[in-house]
Each structure stands twice: as structure tokens, then as C-alpha cells.
Amino acid sequence: MPHMAIEYSANLDAKVDMGGLCALVSRTILETGLFDPGAVRVRAFRAEAYAIADRLPENGFIDMNFRIGKGRSAEEKKRAGEAIFAVVTDHLGSLFATPHFALSLEIREIDAELSWKKNAIHPRLRGK
């Protein structure tokens, strides 16, 4: 279970290929070597309504919420977060050329006792 939810302001539609960003984040998550490929989910959600900072219409944001299961050390979680944040920051470099963009990432661990899952993808990818 690593699930990345990317929430973004609607005014970024013309500036960012969200499908491409999701693919980039997915590749980066897998490249860490910390997560099973069958568990990775990356999706983007467009925020139609938002008010950012001084509410200028050109202000935009991307907020990444990365939910993972327990079992990784603090160093591993930090390494994954740094890798994801670095590749996304680089990919979105042009947005930082103006003073109207904010990017954030948070990693949250899921309590296994309060999380239910059923995944038919795992056996297929594991060859079982």
C-alpha cells in the first residue's frame, strides 16, 4: 500500500499534464525499491473551488498526500519523500519561475488494524 493522492488547483490544467505527473510519481515510488508494484496507486484530483494565499487568480497549488503501510524505517520514509519531492519539483520547475505556485508533500502511515484491502493485482504481478 502506497497510495499517492495529488490534489491540484484547476488553474493548472493548461500548465501541467497531470497524467504525465502521475506516471512520473509512480515510477519514482517504484524506483525507491520500498514498495510492491501491485500496491502502487497514484491519482490526481482537480480542485474546482479554492482560495490560495492572497487569492490572486494566478495562484496555484499541488498538494501530494502519500499514504503508506507501516514497516519502513524513518530513514526509508524520508528517502522516499525526498526522492518524490525532488523529481516533482524538477518536473514543475517552470511553475516556480513565478511567485504564484505552492507544492507540498506529506507522508502518512496507515494503521493496519483500521485498514481493509483486497487486491487481485498482487498475485498476477507476483506470478502466482
Side-chain angles (χ1 to χ4, degrees), residues 80-98:
E82 287 174 345
I84 294 164
F85 199 77
V87 76
V88 172
T89 298
D90 184 59
H91 184 74
L92 301 174
S94 64
L95 295 177
F96 289 104
T98 69

Side-chain angles (χ1 to χ4, degrees), residues 5-78:
I6 301 171
E7 183 180 1
Y8 68 97
S9 56
N11 64 348
L12 295 180
D13 280 341
K15 298 176 183 175
V16 179
D17 169 9
M18 287 300 165
L21 181 62
C22 287
L24 174 66
V25 170
S26 178
R27 280 192 307 274
T28 305
I29 290 168
L30 290 171
E31 287 170 0
T32 68
L34 297 171
F35 305 100
D36 191 338
V40 175
R41 313 278 186 281
V42 179
R43 53 207 182 260
F45 302 95
R46 183 178 196 258
E48 293 285 336
Y50 50 90
I52 303 167
D54 56 357
R55 297 186 316 276
L56 291 175
E58 58 268 35
N59 289 348
F61 75 90
I62 292 178
D63 175 57
M64 299 179 290
N65 181 359
F66 193 37
R67 297 180 306 128
I68 64 172
K70 291 186 180 192
R72 287 154 199 91
S73 70
E75 172 148 328
E76 288 172 326
K77 290 181 280 190
K78 184 176 181 181

